[in-house]
């Protein structure tokens, strides 16, 4: 495992799996909050915050989708790291298509941003990272919490009138986020990084039992929480959109393709076609990252070629109760 230990970069800091070969995800390090409160240390202000992301990472992708749906592109700037991550970690390579420089610290590696926030930091250097220009520190690097902050604290700055976490539905949304996290969002990693048969089998069983369950649920409702597009759908989307191209092959989640599901596949197309969402998907970065960054899984770093999925094909879910967020389309009409 490559990580920072007391502010120093280490490439020998341990393994991703425990003694029985099960994948263990480490906790994130920075957990402060932006609040619309005059007494809060971190308050929502246009131009104050900056997101560090990878198009390849499903956790970072969550924050990009949230930012796009809310119309926060002008309020919160973004830097994109290289999809290839070697032993030096996430790198800024602005000369590469789809990647950017770091305008905040002019760093070469994302780990420099972590050390700038805390010179003695210990932990993995992961994306997303939400940086505060005013305090010159990292606010948060936990994707679910960043999603919630963007959805609840930036109402006055959002260009689109969309509520992804209605207050009266948050308990339900949080329950769904909890329910899909371990078997689906993290389940593909539990399968892909398992080093023994038993934990791999358990992960795959959990994964496809959960996918089967939600396929049944989505037969009668448009979104995971019923008639409302919420954060839960974003969290499901960033896993499903990678599934057939990456997780099915690279992580050995090959019981079934998402495109073979009667309801998950049109549901995925419905989400993809929501205005603003497709622009956040970079399949080239996704496939390059997964197939070249895990040599223990794919030692020859050969990037699988397909499939070429028709995310733009009609989804025929308009007849179910609930309307798709109009997002950018609504904003353009109001202008």
């Amino acid at each position: 495992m490559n990580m920072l230990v007391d502010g120093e970069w280490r490439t020998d800091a341990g393994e991703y799996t425990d003694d029985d070969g099960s994948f263990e995800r480490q906790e994130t390090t920075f957990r402060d909050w932006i609040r619309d409160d005059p007494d809060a240390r971190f308050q929502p202000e246009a131009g104050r915050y900056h997101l560090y992301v990878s198009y390849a990472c499903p956790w970072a992708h969550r924050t990009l989708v949230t930012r796009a749906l809310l119309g926060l592109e002008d309020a919160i700037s973004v830097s994109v790291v290289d999809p290839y991550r070697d032993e030096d970690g996430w790198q800024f390579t602005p000369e590469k298509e789809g990647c950017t420089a770091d305008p905040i610290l002019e760093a070469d590696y994302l780990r420099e941003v972590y050390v700038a926030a805390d010179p003695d930091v210990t932990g993995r250097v992961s994306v997303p990272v939400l940086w505060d220009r005013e305090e010159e520190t990292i606010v948060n690097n936990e994707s679910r919490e960043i999603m919630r902050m963007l959805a609840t604290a930036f109402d006055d700055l959002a260009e689109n009138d969309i509520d992804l976490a209605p207050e009266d539905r948050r308990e339900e949304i949080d329950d769904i986020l909890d329910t899909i996290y371990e078997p689906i969002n993290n389940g593909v990693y539990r399968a892909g990084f398992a080093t023994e048969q038993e934990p791999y089998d358990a992960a795959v069983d959990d994964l496809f039992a959960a996918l089967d369950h939600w396929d049944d649920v989505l037969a009668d409702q448009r979104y995971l929480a019923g008639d409302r597009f919420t954060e839960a759908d974003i969290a499901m989307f960033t896993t499903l959109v990678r599934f057939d191209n990456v997780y099915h092959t690279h992580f050995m989640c090959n019981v079934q393709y998402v495109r073979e599901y009667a309801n998950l596949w049109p549901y995925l197309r419905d989400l993809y076609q929501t205005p603003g969402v497709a622009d956040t998907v970079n399949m080239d970065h996704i496939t390059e990252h997964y197939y070249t960054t895990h040599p223990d899984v794919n030692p020859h770093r050969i990037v699988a070629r397909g499939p070429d999925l028709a995310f733009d094909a009609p989804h025929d879910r308009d007849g179910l109760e609930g309307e798709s967020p109009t997002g950018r389309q609504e904003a353009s009409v109001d202008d």
Side-chain angles (χ1 to χ4, degrees):
M1 183 187 299
N2 304 329
M3 60 183 289
L4 287 165
V5 178
D6 297 327
E8 297 295 326
W9 185 246
R10 295 274 300 275
T11 60
D12 58 350
E15 301 294 333
Y16 285 107
T17 55
D18 62 18
D19 291 340
D20 71 357
S22 298
F23 171 66
E24 288 189 324
R25 184 175 296 280
Q26 286 198 335
E27 290 290 324
T28 45
T29 308
F30 298 91
R31 306 295 286 272
D32 285 315
W33 278 79
I34 299 169
R35 303 182 191 280
D36 191 7
D37 179 338
D39 296 325
R41 179 187 179 191
F42 302 102
Q43 300 177 30
E45 299 174 20
R48 176 171 173 174
Y49 300 101
H50 186 79
L51 265 175
Y52 292 97
V53 302
S54 165
Y55 282 128
C57 171
W59 316 104
H61 193 182
R62 294 176 172 194
T63 65
L64 285 175
V65 174
T66 305
R67 171 177 173 265
L69 288 173
L70 295 170
L72 289 170
E73 292 95 331
D74 291 338
I76 301 173
S77 53
V78 166
S79 288
V80 181
V81 295
D82 195 302
Y84 176 64
R85 187 186 65 209
D86 61 14
E87 65 179 11
D88 286 318
W90 296 111
Q91 183 177 5
F92 297 100
T93 55
E95 69 279 2
K96 187 170 181 176
E97 185 175 357
C99 303
T100 71
D102 169 25
I104 307 298
L105 301 172
E106 299 182 352
D108 293 319
Y109 294 93
L110 186 60
R111 65 175 187 262
E112 298 170 48
V113 176
Y114 276 66
V115 173
D118 178 1
D120 299 316
V121 63
T122 293
R124 290 182 59 243
V125 175
S126 60
V127 285
V129 172
L130 186 60
W131 176 270
D132 179 9
R133 288 182 170 92
E134 184 174 305
E135 294 281 338
E136 297 184 333
T137 192
I138 294 172
V139 180
N140 198 293
N141 69 332
E142 170 54 53
S143 65
R144 178 167 166 178
E145 294 177 1
I146 295 174
M147 272 203 304
R148 181 61 53 87
M149 282 185 274
L150 299 186
T152 58
F154 285 81
D155 289 350
D156 293 340
L157 300 176
E159 295 183 2
N160 301 328
D161 185 18
I162 297 170
D163 193 347
L164 297 169
E167 189 169 1
D168 63 343
R169 304 283 293 273
R170 283 180 200 166
E171 184 176 353
E172 176 188 8
I173 294 166
D174 286 337
D175 285 344
I176 296 172
L177 286 167
D178 289 340
T179 299
I180 67 175
Y181 170 76
E182 191 60 33
I184 298 176
N185 302 140
N186 196 45
V188 293
Y189 289 88
R190 290 169 53 212
F193 290 143
T195 57
E196 299 290 343
Q197 188 70 47
E198 186 173 345
Y200 164 77
D201 288 338
V204 168
D205 288 345
D206 290 347
L207 170 62
F208 284 95
L211 291 176
D212 290 346
H213 165 76
W214 287 107
D215 189 65
D216 290 340
V217 169
L218 290 166
D220 300 314
Q221 61 189 54
R222 190 164 183 181
Y223 302 114
L224 299 188
D227 62 350
R228 191 70 175 262
F229 189 120
T230 69
E231 293 173 349
D233 297 292
I234 296 173
M236 180 69 95
F237 172 78
T238 60
T239 296
L240 294 185
V241 78
R242 288 161 171 74
F243 200 96
D244 286 11
N245 287 84
V246 172
Y247 301 140
H248 181 278
T249 301
H250 183 56
F251 280 172
M252 299 177 291
C253 300
N254 60 352
V255 173
Q256 188 169 339
Y257 288 105
V258 166
R259 66 181 183 270
E260 294 174 330
Y261 277 97
N263 301 304
L264 281 173
W265 173 225
Y267 164 77
L268 173 56
R269 301 200 306 274
D270 188 6
L271 301 185
Y272 181 89
Q273 293 170 36
T274 300
V277 173
D279 291 339
T280 69
V281 179
N282 188 321
M283 197 58 70
D284 289 339
H285 276 216
I286 290 169
T287 53
E288 178 183 349
H289 168 73
Y290 281 96
Y291 287 108
T292 64
T293 298
H294 308 131
D296 291 346
V297 179
N298 182 23
H300 298 295
R301 304 180 194 270
I302 296 171
V303 179
R305 183 173 295 177
D308 185 12
L309 299 175
F311 291 117
D312 290 323
H315 53 74
D316 299 324
R317 292 182 62 80
D318 306 88
L320 295 171
E321 185 177 355
E323 294 183 2
S324 173
T326 51
R328 294 169 182 264
Q329 290 183 345
E330 181 177 355
S332 65
V333 172
D334 290 344
D335 291 342

